[in-house]
Amino acid sequence: MSTTAELLKGAAELFPDEVVTQAHVRHLDLPKGAGRFALITLDNGLDHTKPTTFGPQSLANLNVAIDQVEKEAADGAIVAAGITGKPFIFAVGADLKGVELLKRHEDALAIGKGGHDVFKRLSSLAVPTFAYYNGAAMGGGVEVGLHCTYRTVSKALPAFSLPEVFLGLVPGWGGCALLPNLIGADRAVSVIIKNSLNQNKQLKGKQVFELGIADALFEGADFLEQSLIWTASVLTGETEVVRAEVDRGEAWDAAVARGKAIADSKVHGAAPAAYRALDIIAAAKNGDLRQGFDAEDQALADLIMGGELRSGIYSFNLVQKRAKRPAGAPDKSLARPVTKVGVVGAGLMASQLALLFARRLEVPVVLTDIDQARIDKGVAYVHGEIDKLLLQGRVNQDKANRLKGLVSGHLDKAAAFGDADFVIEAVFEEMGVKQQVFAEVEAVVPEHAILATNTSSLSVTEMAAKLKHPERVVGFHFFNPVAILPLLEIVRAEKTDDASLATAFAVAKSLKKTAVLVKDAPAFVVNRILTRFMGEIQNVIDEGTPVAVAEKAVEPLGLPMSPLVLLELVGPAIGLHVSETLHGAFPERFTVSPNLKAVVEAGKRGFYVYDSGKPELDPEVAALLKQGDSVLTEEQVRDRVLDAVAQEIGLMLDEGVVAEAQDIDLCLITGAGWPFHLGGITPYLDREGVSERVTGKKFLAPGIASVPV
């Protein structure tokens, strides 16, 4: 049987580019005469922007450090041992770059076993062990601490989580077995399942302490010093650590059932990770840790060799890496400074944009509209939102006053925009209106000013066609709610020049948005795909399939909301408008639903009423629906919808709407909330065989969002 060292050596050979973490051992005399102490510090030698991770060589280094500490403990040379991290970082878990390279189940199993074999040595030393969570701790970083006898946490700790389920894994180095046995199953389900599936929600230091994960909480400034004083008081018996008793009765089963309900509501059974984690938590009820660790090893290996994890890592790489280097963006040195922003319109969307520009750029922002009352209302909205930020403690009084002072309104465009560097319009989605607005703005802005449009579906080239300087017009399409959804589709019109485009990307970066360069094609990326997707759902309903069947058919995609609930959020009138625009451009593929038209004409906000708290088909809408007699099954509906989406993506790639399939997935993840575990959409279409059925080939090369061949 392989030793831990052999296992890790084999794994390290598969991963030659690992950023290696060292495990430095130093000795110190504890206060209060408590004795000699060995402290292991995890450090990859880089600053806090490159967090410490555990690849195979890093685990091997920790294993060697524990060899030393184990011998010292056995010899009576130390009274206790501790583990902490470099400044601002404890450790953020397994190195996912290595996981991507694994091709065989046995190699994946070795990663799980290797981590367990090293970490669990911390619980079997001859002396007590202490974990000092001094900074960000995630995944394996959290788990290495769970194997210790005691834990302290810094009040300044910004992020603590077990994000594995979010990515398509389980906490596989002790998290699923140890955490419920420490804090009870219900709290463990919140950390492992609920937070993870809630866009990887992070805990702060105080919450880690309140949950009972840490035994003591200290200020960040002298965290290690205070932790060592506390350690001495525990060892001398001055401090007794009391933990709440874990309920191993019905409460445990109820917690697992709650976790399953959360998973069902988020992924609808479409991704296995949450359910595998819950199985391990359920089995951990008897407190048998060895059995729990074995189950974690198996689950980890199975999931590493599955498509969902590869899609999850692919999503992670898109959002963390590709988003930071947008494909096709011009050289950033061409960007011009933006010292003042103009917003045409003062409605809700325009006001949200004004707030965002003021907060992120911290430059003057001026709104205009057709009358003073609308302008006043828009400015009042922005000021009110800044007051809310003040009440929530997200800005201080000085900052709130400064931000309010930056946002003003003016009826006269010449006075408002005469010295603006960037003007964005957010007026009615009508070509004539937008062309008129741009003509008025062009007449009064400086020659270098960028003219941006927030259009969701109209041609930016056509909008700029009548201007003297069409080269400075760009599409700048935000997604609602502006403050939450990160995507910004930046549209290059036919005559847009590189300097204008570079400025748009620089502004997007300052706004902290994920910018994707898209061609000036009808409805760009997200709205085109969603409209085709929704259009096919509408078509099957119009032809005769019951609404409930059509909605349920796409549940296995694990989307954040059902198609008709999404339609309600967007607004049926906007949905109808975009479908009409796309029908005009591509009449053979995009339909305009007579039933949707009837719903809009009747002034309905959507298809559902919520009298019982759950969505139910509005009887007034049901009376409006005129359906044919062609009734499809859920599977037939799903096939039709996915085929339509695959066809549209294939055509968009052929047209060069974006550089690669990866940009389509990045748009859907950041602009429409499509699930991480699907990798957006193209990995799912590849995995389910839809891409080849429709386009004759896969969208992604082997090994991208899939197990390497």
Side-chain angles (χ1 to χ4, degrees):
M1 198 161 146
S2 299
T3 64
T4 302
E6 286 166 347
L7 266 181
L8 293 171
K9 186 169 183 287
E13 284 165 6
L14 296 172
F15 183 21
D17 300 326
E18 176 185 350
V19 176
V20 177
T21 297
Q22 304 298 333
H24 305 290
V25 182
R26 64 185 169 115
H27 296 88
L28 37 102
D29 292 314
L30 289 170
K32 307 183 184 185
R36 192 96 172 124
F37 184 79
L39 180 65
I40 300 170
T41 302
L42 302 168
D43 191 348
N44 61 6
L46 301 165
D47 69 15
H48 67 278
T49 62
K50 299 280 189 301
T52 306
T53 52
F54 293 116
Q57 186 55 54
S58 306
L59 286 171
N61 289 346
L62 178 57
N63 200 41
V64 170
I66 296 173
D67 283 343
Q68 180 188 337
V69 172
E70 184 177 59
K71 185 175 185 313
E72 290 168 356
D75 293 347
I78 55 171
V79 293
I83 187 165
T84 192
K86 67 183 184 182
F88 310 110
I89 303 287
F90 182 77
V92 298
D95 191 323
L96 292 176
K97 293 194 295 297
V99 173
E100 277 178 279
L101 301 172
L102 298 174
K103 299 177 185 177
R104 301 183 314 159
H105 194 274
E106 54 264 45
D107 294 332
L109 197 59
I111 287 290
K113 280 191 64 57
H116 271 132
D117 289 350
V118 175
F119 288 2
K120 69 188 181 190
R121 295 181 69 195
L122 289 166
S123 59
S124 56
L125 294 181
V127 295
T129 49
F130 294 77
Y132 305 134
Y133 291 124
N134 64 305
M138 295 172 207
V142 168
E143 289 170 300
V144 70
L146 294 177
H147 285 270
C148 294
T149 326
Y150 304 99
R151 284 155 295 282
T152 67
V153 68
S154 165
K155 276 186 190 172
L157 179 143
F160 183 104
S161 65
L162 289 170
E164 287 84 354
V165 166
F166 177 64
L167 290 169
L169 276 175
V170 297
W173 285 342
C176 289
L178 289 168
L179 193 64
N181 278 293
L182 175 68
I183 61 173
D186 196 61
R187 288 176 164 191
V189 161
S190 290
V191 176
I192 294 169
I193 307 294
K194 186 182 175 192
N195 289 0
S196 199
L197 290 178
N198 188 11
Q199 292 302 312
N200 191 18
K201 183 176 178 231
Q202 300 293 323
L203 298 168
K204 299 270 194 283
K206 187 164 178 275
Q207 294 167 298
V208 174
F209 172 66
E210 287 167 352
L211 281 168
I213 298 171
D215 302 302
L217 175 73
F218 299 113
E219 293 292 345
D222 57 352
F223 170 69
L224 187 58
E225 189 185 337
Q226 291 302 320
S227 291
L228 291 168
I229 293 168
W230 181 83
T231 297
S233 73
V234 169
L235 293 170
T236 58
E238 186 186 323
T239 296
E240 187 189 355
V241 175
V242 181
R243 296 185 185 135
E245 199 171 329
V246 170
D247 186 333
R248 297 183 187 280
E250 285 174 18
W252 195 290
D253 303 331
V256 173
R258 180 174 78 95
K260 187 173 182 307
I262 293 165
D264 287 345
S265 73
K266 292 286 187 182
V267 299
H268 309 284
Y275 303 97
R276 291 295 292 265
L278 287 164
D279 289 345
I280 302 167
I281 294 170
K285 183 177 175 180
N286 62 9
D288 183 343
L289 293 179
R290 185 173 169 179
Q291 176 197 339
F293 295 164
D294 288 346
E296 287 177 351
D297 286 343
Q298 273 307 323
L300 206 57
D302 292 348
L303 292 166
I304 285 173
M305 299 315 290
E308 283 81 6
L309 169 70
R310 304 301 172 136
S311 296
I313 295 175
Y314 167 78
S315 298
F316 185 79
N317 288 336
L318 289 180
V319 170
Q320 293 296 319
K321 294 175 185 168
R322 193 175 183 93
K324 292 180 172 62
R325 289 187 289 279
D331 190 315
K332 56 179 185 251
S333 67
L334 298 172
R336 295 192 284 259
V338 172
T339 58
K340 183 178 178 182
V341 172
V343 182
V344 186
L348 183 58
M349 189 67 177
S351 304
Q352 287 184 64
L353 295 180
L355 174 67
L356 181 70
F357 278 96
R359 281 192 72 194
R360 297 282 184 237
L361 301 189
E362 296 194 18
V363 299
V365 178
V366 188
L367 295 127
T368 67
D369 212 317
I370 53 174
D371 60 54
Q372 192 62 45
R374 288 175 202 231
I375 294 170
D376 292 345
K377 188 179 176 186
V379 173
Y381 169 85
V382 178
H383 287 189
E385 290 300 303
I386 293 166
D387 284 334
K388 284 184 197 167
L389 294 171
L390 177 64
L391 282 172
Q392 292 160 358
R394 289 167 66 190
V395 296
N396 60 24
Q397 187 68 60
D398 273 1
K399 183 83 176 270
N401 293 345
R402 202 162 70 248
L403 289 175
K404 283 190 197 171
L406 289 172
V407 181
S408 61
H410 211 297
L411 203 50
D412 178 0
K413 287 190 179 69
F417 304 150
D419 55 350
D421 307 301
F422 189 100
V423 178
I424 184 166
E425 69 73 24
V427 299
F428 187 63
E429 195 73 344
E430 218 294 311
M431 184 57 78
V433 175
K434 290 188 185 282
Q435 284 180 329
Q436 184 192 339
V437 161
F438 270 166
E440 290 170 8
V441 172
E442 189 182 47
V444 299
V445 294
E447 275 197 13
H448 67 270
I450 306 294
L451 304 184
T453 169
N454 183 44
T455 183
S456 59
S457 61
L458 300 176
S459 165
V460 181
T461 301
E462 190 183 336
M463 220 176 283
K466 297 174 182 175
L467 299 178
K468 290 193 191 80
H469 295 287
E471 71 279 359
R472 57 175 169 171
V473 176
V474 294
F476 215 62
H477 179 219
F478 290 88
F479 288 79
N480 220 346
V482 170
I484 294 169
L485 289 174
L487 181 64
L488 187 50
E489 290 178 336
I490 296 187
V491 186
R492 179 171 213 153
E494 274 174 28
K495 295 193 173 162
T496 308
D497 64 20
D498 280 356
S500 301
L501 201 60
T503 306
F505 274 99
V507 169
K509 190 175 181 185
S510 298
L511 294 174
K512 298 187 179 169
K513 292 294 179 187
T514 297
V516 175
L517 179 62
V518 305
K519 186 178 165 185
D520 188 18
F524 316 126
V525 177
V526 172
N527 285 344
R528 180 162 163 185
I529 291 172
L530 287 186
T531 304
R532 187 77 199 274
F533 174 81
M534 302 284 286
E536 217 47 55
I537 296 275
Q538 289 282 355
N539 288 343
V540 299
I541 292 170
D542 293 352
E543 289 161 20
T545 299
V547 169
V549 174
E551 287 265 84
K552 205 164 180 336
V554 292
E555 268 191 5
L557 284 168
L559 299 177
M561 58 190 78
S562 75
L564 293 181
V565 173
L566 174 65
L567 181 69
E568 202 169 293
L569 182 75
V570 170
I574 293 173
L576 179 66
H577 171 74
V578 177
S579 68
E580 285 170 343
T581 302
L582 281 159
H583 176 68
F586 310 116
E588 69 288 354
R589 298 195 312 278
F590 287 86
T591 52
V592 177
S593 162
N595 281 320
L596 179 57
K597 217 168 188 173
V599 167
V600 172
E601 282 165 2
K604 302 302 291 184
R605 283 185 53 245
F607 277 61
Y608 293 128
V609 286
Y610 296 85
D611 299 339
S612 64
K614 286 182 178 171
E616 287 170 17
L617 189 61
D618 183 340
E620 291 177 18
V621 170
L624 291 171
L625 294 183
K626 290 185 168 59
Q627 292 181 281
D629 52 13
S630 171
V631 179
L632 301 183
T633 64
E634 285 177 25
E635 196 176 345
Q636 288 169 322
V637 172
R638 186 160 57 250
D639 283 350
R640 221 172 108 174
V641 170
L642 292 176
D643 284 5
V645 169
Q647 182 194 30
E648 206 56 41
I649 291 170
L651 291 166
M652 289 164 72
L653 292 172
D654 290 345
E655 291 166 28
V657 174
V658 288
E660 292 182 292
Q662 282 90 325
D663 293 311
I664 283 177
D665 293 319
L666 182 57
C667 285
L668 286 172
I669 291 165
T670 57
W674 278 43
F676 242 63
H677 66 261
L678 290 188
I681 183 64
T682 68
Y684 180 81
L685 295 173
D686 283 356
R687 206 164 59 236
E688 297 293 312
V690 181
S691 317
E692 286 176 279
R693 183 169 77 226
V694 175
T695 69
K697 60 179 195 275
K698 290 187 171 178
F699 290 121
L700 299 168
I704 298 176
S706 57
V707 177
V709 178

